[in-house]
Amino acid sequence: MARKLSFSCRGKGQSISEDALFQYSNGWFLLDEKQQFLKRRVNFDVRKLCDLVASLTKNGASVCKIDKMEGGFSKTLLITTEDGMEVVAKIPCPNVGKAKYSTASEAAVLQYVSSHTTIPVPKILAWNADPSNPIGAEYIIMEKASGIQLFKVWDDIPEADRLKLIKGLTQLENKFTAIRFPAYGSLYFRHSISKASERILLDSAVDPTGLFCIGPACGPAWTDGISPADIQPDIDAELIQRSIARTRLRPAGNIIPVLHGKVQDHASILNATENLLPTLTKHPPSLERSRPTMWHTDLHMGNIFVSQEDHTRVVCLIDWQSTSISPLFLQARWPAFLSPAEGYSEGPEHPKLPGNFDDLDADEKNIALFEKDRAVSAKAYEVATYLNNHDAYTARWEIFDPLREYFSRIGDTWDDGVVPLRTCLIRLVEDWEQIGFPDTCPIHFISAEIASHEKRLSEYAQWHEIQDFAWKYLDTDAEGWVPPEADWAEKRLQNKALLELMIERLESRKPEEVRRMWPFPV
């Protein structure tokens, strides 16, 4: 007798087709929509997946329902069996990068965190990073997270309990900081990285089981034929090599050619970067704050589950895909839901309402109260990090900003253009002695080069202003993502109207120039 199997999407109960499981259905895209959908489609054998899940139950109960909880880089499926067991299956989409590596690494990270820390994560039930398996795609099957997602209860949590929750988060993050990994890259089981030249083993203090190693970095940046297997797990060389490899690709986005730069421009700036690295890595403050550290870099409220009974207690952190081991000063960051608004004052100053609060109208008062609450939460995280995770605090708040941005920019020149990285290099050269580097700066810029760069920087700032304007008022991102609940036709009309508004504003630019700089087609 054939099993009865229903398919739905995002818990809405409305039935969908089996083919809809493979498609992307969580919105639209203003930019390259056809390509965006292709990057988020993955085919797999649904029946074989159901057979595997049934084999994980105590009595071989069949799967009766699959609910697609669409993810950005994976098909995330909530699978229910006839005996009531619920599990989550993650199947990576093409936009994740190299799915073999990202799947193997995520499985290793979940197992390592579960075994060697008290950070609560989902338990893995089965995984396979070989796409030739019977299901036909890489996968991880894990227990459903317990508790309730934080965004569902945050507004009902009293301020005192919010502060307690935030303190608990910083204590969990401190467990990452305490682990002393020997190199940069991504975490794997040893058997996942067969070549000894591509892995670094962990010592017994970090891995008493002897099961894990550090191997090539993985993630969405490793796409379009660029293989992380070609890169050794050294953060500096890895990022430079990634930028060099990407110069053979078509530039992403709509950055104008004069700002993007030619291939030789990228080669020149990356060569200067390579010459600078040996000196930077000898800088004592940089050494202290750049030790290899694992971190959950996507702590938004949908990835944090708290207890149903005690909303101050975190019971599960999900979505560890593409977790890396990187310099601490690049890892330590605000959790997304605690990121402060523009104008936030770091340090001992306590958030306050504006001095003219009593004179504001009702709407303005509500905005002021909201911004104060946001600042209080941010301040709580800042102070709790200082008290509970001081190494992360110094890495996040006490490192020279251009140095942090410099390392952030190295691997992405082909997407961002050469201007941002050259800006970082010029600032580092100018402030070399103030920063306290021990050796003479190995690179320099002549006045003509700086003058030329300043002109390009002004043009880049205007281009970036146009991008930010479009993203802000269309409420979208660089890919032009539009949520499924939005009015798609209305959003496209807004895109056209905002472009016309920008053309009117920039009288110094010809309309066709503004259209070339606008991030989305009309």
Side-chain angles (χ1 to χ4, degrees):
M1 181 178 178
R3 68 166 66 112
K4 291 182 63 177
L5 183 58
S6 67
F7 307 116
S8 59
C9 185
R10 295 190 296 278
K12 294 181 178 178
Q14 184 177 355
S15 182
I16 62 173
S17 68
E18 181 173 322
D19 188 67
L21 290 178
F22 314 139
Q23 301 172 4
Y24 182 77
S25 55
N26 195 34
W28 302 272
F29 296 91
L30 292 165
L31 182 66
D32 294 335
E33 185 171 64
K34 182 178 180 180
Q35 184 63 25
Q36 300 289 1
F37 283 147
L38 284 174
K39 292 193 298 184
R40 291 165 175 81
R41 181 187 174 98
V42 58
N43 296 326
F44 53 92
D45 191 317
V46 177
R47 269 46 188 185
K48 294 294 186 183
L49 176 62
C50 291
D51 289 342
L52 176 58
V53 171
S55 73
L56 300 173
T57 65
K58 293 180 179 179
N59 55 5
S62 298
V63 170
C64 61
K65 182 170 65 174
I66 298 179
D67 189 29
K68 183 174 70 166
M69 312 297 289
E70 193 83 72
F73 296 93
S74 295
K75 298 300 173 192
T76 303
L77 310 173
L78 178 60
I79 301 176
T80 306
T81 61
E82 290 177 341
D83 64 355
M85 185 180 82
E86 291 182 313
V87 300
V88 172
K90 287 185 68 174
I91 299 175
C93 298
N95 65 338
V96 78
K98 300 301 178 180
K100 169 185 174 181
Y101 288 93
S102 65
T103 302
S105 181
E106 184 175 7
V109 167
L110 286 169
Q111 184 61 49
Y112 183 89
V113 172
S114 175
S115 301
H116 298 296
T117 77
T118 57
I119 298 170
V121 298
K123 179 182 178 182
I124 290 184
L125 303 175
W127 69 279
N128 196 312
D130 183 353
S132 66
N133 70 69
I135 292 172
E138 302 86 346
Y139 64 82
I140 298 176
I141 298 175
M142 63 191 80
E143 291 182 344
K144 180 186 176 185
S146 61
I148 184 170
Q149 286 171 296
L150 182 57
F151 75 86
K152 296 179 179 179
V153 297
W154 177 258
D155 290 341
D156 300 323
I157 300 177
E159 182 177 299
D161 285 346
R162 288 186 183 182
L163 301 183
K164 185 177 179 181
L165 169 66
I166 292 167
K167 175 183 176 181
L169 275 178
T170 63
Q171 291 170 334
L172 290 178
E173 289 179 329
N174 183 53
K175 299 184 187 303
F176 290 129
T177 313
I179 303 171
R180 302 291 174 144
F181 289 107
Y184 307 113
S186 293
L187 191 70
Y188 298 88
F189 291 106
R190 291 188 184 186
H191 63 75
S192 297
I193 307 297
S194 56
K195 292 183 180 180
S197 61
E198 293 178 0
R199 68 185 188 188
I200 296 175
L201 304 183
L202 309 184
D203 62 39
S204 58
V206 177
D207 176 25
T209 60
L211 294 176
F212 301 93
C213 69
I214 295 176
C218 63
W222 303 105
T223 55
D224 303 295
I226 302 173
S227 174
D230 299 331
I231 310 299
Q232 294 300 311
D234 176 271
I235 191 67
D236 309 327
E238 170 194 309
L239 293 173
I240 291 173
Q241 289 301 318
R242 187 172 80 194
S243 272
I244 291 173
R246 289 176 68 83
T247 58
R248 66 174 181 262
L249 307 177
R250 180 176 64 87
N254 69 326
I255 187 167
I256 55 180
V258 69
L259 299 180
H260 184 268
K262 300 177 182 178
V263 171
Q264 53 265 39
D265 297 325
H266 288 261
S268 175
I269 200 72
L270 291 169
N271 181 61
T273 300
E274 203 163 20
N275 292 335
L276 197 59
L277 283 173
T279 304
L280 295 184
T281 54
K282 290 189 292 184
H283 185 223
S286 300
L287 286 173
E288 294 168 9
R289 295 159 189 166
S290 64
R291 68 170 183 263
T293 306
M294 182 190 292
W295 202 266
H296 194 308
T297 57
D298 194 21
L299 281 182
H300 60 73
M301 288 197 278
N303 285 340
I304 300 171
F305 286 71
V306 295
S307 167
Q308 294 271 15
E309 296 75 28
D310 179 3
H311 294 161
T312 70
R313 186 166 65 89
V314 176
V315 295
C316 197
L317 300 180
I318 67 167
D319 195 4
W320 296 79
Q321 192 175 59
S322 301
T323 296
S324 69
I325 298 171
S326 297
L328 178 57
F329 70 81
L330 292 181
Q331 298 281 58
R333 65 193 66 199
W334 300 97
F337 72 104
L338 298 175
S339 179
E342 187 176 347
Y344 172 82
S345 297
E346 297 177 355
E349 183 178 341
H350 189 75
K352 298 177 182 178
L353 289 170
N356 65 337
F357 180 78
D358 291 336
D359 299 327
L360 302 177
D361 63 31
D363 289 341
E364 291 170 332
K365 284 183 177 180
N366 286 333
I367 293 172
L369 288 168
F370 173 80
E371 290 180 346
K372 178 182 179 261
D373 286 346
R374 182 177 175 183
V376 167
S377 294
K379 184 63 63 178
Y381 179 78
E382 180 187 346
V383 173
T385 299
Y386 178 86
L387 296 174
N388 300 309
N389 194 4
H390 195 69
D391 286 350
Y393 179 88
T394 58
R396 166 63 183 83
W397 278 281
E398 295 181 6
I399 195 165
F400 190 58
D401 281 340
L403 191 60
R404 184 200 314 279
E405 187 174 359
Y406 165 81
F407 280 98
S408 300
R409 298 285 188 183
I410 293 174
D412 297 318
T413 64
W414 197 244
D415 289 336
D416 299 340
V418 297
V419 174
L421 180 56
R422 185 180 286 122
T423 300
C424 293
L425 286 176
I426 291 173
R427 286 191 64 187
L428 284 173
V429 172
E430 289 175 343
D431 297 329
W432 193 261
E433 292 185 4
Q434 177 188 339
I435 299 171
F437 289 116
D439 300 327
T440 302
C441 183
I443 65 172
H444 69 280
F445 294 92
I446 61 175
S447 57
E449 289 176 313
I450 294 176
S452 175
H453 172 74
E454 290 297 329
K455 181 180 178 181
R456 293 286 183 267
L457 182 59
S458 177
E459 294 180 45
Y460 186 88
Q462 189 172 78
W463 173 83
H464 209 281
E465 179 185 348
I466 292 173
Q467 312 305 298
D468 286 343
F469 176 86
W471 299 340
K472 177 180 180 180
Y473 290 103
L474 288 169
D475 192 20
T476 187
D477 57 18
E479 294 178 322
W481 179 73
V482 177
E485 61 271 16
D487 186 324
W488 174 232
E490 178 64 24
K491 189 66 70 173
R492 294 173 70 182
L493 289 175
Q494 290 174 2
N495 180 46
K496 183 177 181 180
L498 287 169
L499 170 58
E500 295 304 319
L501 177 61
M502 182 57 68
I503 290 173
E504 290 179 13
R505 280 189 179 184
L506 296 181
E507 297 179 353
S508 62
R509 290 275 189 180
K510 295 179 180 178
E512 56 267 27
E513 289 180 316
V514 181
R515 290 190 182 97
R516 282 199 299 270
M517 291 190 283
W518 190 254
F520 310 118
V522 295

